[in-house]
Amino acid sequence: MKTKLLLVLALFVFAISCTKESAEPEGTPENPSGGTPSGGSVVYNINKDLMLQLINDSRKKGCTCGSTVMPAVAVITWNDQLAKAAYDHSKDMSVNNYFSHTGKNGSSPGDRIKAAGYMWKTYGENIANGYGTEQAVMTAWLASEGHCKNIMSASFKEIGAGREGNYWTQVFGIK
């Protein structure tokens, strides 16, 4: 229980609003898990449909993030470029044994999203470590005010997520 509490306390949130940068997309993301984007599939070591369902269930009904009541907002859609950026960051954290929004190479979430080919106007990132399932990590994120606000933000229209081991990353964006 103490370990779980420490993991929840160790969660970080990072959301930045910026103007769109100009660059060309770098192609289609790879799928290291070999799954396909169709029903119930595993994409970037995430059950994409379950993750999207858990997020959109919260967005459709609204929720309270810490002390802030968040109204219902439009559903969000999956984006494979954001999923690649999320997976790449989870993999980097797992391989290099660290936990941060800043990549081991100094990259920001915006840098990683751009490298995955997503030309963002605004983005947000949630990270977590130590959870075994989509449900467990979503429960933790929704219990954390900043992470919950990213999930509930009407500013975000698309999401991608990735996992390596027990390192999880969600990336939100709008073009």
Side-chain angles (χ1 to χ4, degrees):
M1 186 65 175
K2 184 177 177 182
T3 301
K4 193 75 156 180
L5 178 59
L6 289 174
L7 289 173
V8 171
L9 293 174
L11 292 173
F12 293 96
V13 67
F14 189 89
I16 295 179
S17 296
C18 297
T19 57
K20 185 174 183 178
E21 296 181 8
S22 61
E24 293 301 312
E26 296 179 13
T28 306
E30 296 174 10
N31 186 351
S33 64
T36 60
S38 60
S41 64
V42 175
V43 178
Y44 295 107
N45 298 326
I46 297 281
N47 180 326
K48 175 189 113 173
D49 294 332
L50 177 58
M51 179 67 74
L52 203 51
Q53 177 188 343
L54 293 168
I55 292 165
N56 284 328
D57 285 351
S58 294
R59 288 175 67 92
K60 285 189 251 184
K61 65 183 177 187
C63 65
T64 301
C65 298
S67 60
T68 306
V69 175
M70 303 292 290
V73 293
V75 297
I76 202 165
T77 59
W78 187 266
N79 181 284
D80 282 327
Q81 292 169 321
L82 293 176
K84 177 171 178 18
Y87 172 77
D88 287 350
H89 188 53
S90 290
K91 184 174 180 181
D92 185 48
M93 289 189 293
S94 179
V95 167
N96 293 298
N97 194 30
Y98 74 98
F99 185 70
S100 175
H101 289 285
T102 302
K104 206 62 163 171
N105 64 358
S107 64
S108 70
D111 296 331
R112 294 187 295 272
I113 295 165
K114 182 178 167 186
Y118 189 89
M119 300 298 103
W120 53 269
K121 288 182 183 175
T122 302
Y123 67 82
E125 179 179 83
N126 288 345
I127 61 174
N129 184 18
Y131 298 94
T133 66
E134 287 80 0
Q135 182 65 54
V137 75
M138 280 298 298
T139 298
W141 278 328
L142 289 170
S144 165
E145 186 169 4
H147 295 94
C148 181
K149 285 181 176 180
N150 269 350
I151 292 166
M152 294 301 299
S153 175
S155 297
F156 299 132
K157 305 299 181 200
E158 298 180 296
I159 178 134
R163 170 189 185 191
E164 184 65 24
N166 283 329
Y167 287 87
W168 298 77
T169 305
Q170 285 181 325
V171 179
F172 303 86
I174 185 168
K175 291 182 182 178

